[in-house]
Amino acid sequence: MPTKKKSVDFEQSLSDLEALVNQMEQGELSLEESLKAFERGIQLTRDCQERLSAAEQQVQTLMEQHGQITLQPMADADGENPAE
């Protein structure tokens, strides 16, 4: 029986990616360490993109009404509509 991929925690992946970038920017990694860090960064980026895509699909599904999708601007952090 195939095992399901663990649910990716977006915030943790993003935090790990930021830490990895900071570490690489220090310039103290060997070539091999840099390559491994780059490979890990690519995987973290893909995980974040997959989670964001899934969230976008979920929002679209929730907004679907009577077979049609109604697009509405999302509110920013203060709850205000940026388009207004």
Side-chain angles (χ1 to χ4, degrees):
M1 176 178 213
T3 58
K4 286 188 175 182
K5 184 178 177 183
K6 272 179 116 176
S7 177
V8 177
D9 181 40
F10 177 79
E11 287 79 11
Q12 183 62 50
S13 292
L14 189 58
S15 177
D16 291 350
L17 184 57
E18 288 173 352
L20 189 62
V21 168
N22 288 333
Q23 184 182 19
M24 292 178 73
E25 285 178 341
Q26 296 297 317
E28 297 178 7
L29 298 176
S30 69
L31 178 59
E32 180 144 342
E33 291 170 327
S34 293
L35 289 171
K36 286 181 183 179
F38 182 76
E39 183 177 2
R40 176 70 179 137
I42 294 295
Q43 184 58 52
L44 288 168
T45 300
R46 287 180 181 153
D47 291 345
C48 288
Q49 288 173 336
E50 286 176 14
R51 182 60 187 120
L52 285 173
S53 179
E56 182 179 19
Q57 275 187 310
Q58 187 175 8
V59 167
Q60 286 182 346
T61 300
L62 292 171
M63 294 176 65
E64 188 173 324
Q65 296 176 353
H66 305 291
Q68 296 182 359
I69 294 177
T70 57
L71 298 177
Q72 300 173 358
M74 296 190 61
D76 61 10
D78 352 276
E80 296 194 12
N81 186 336
E84 293 177 350

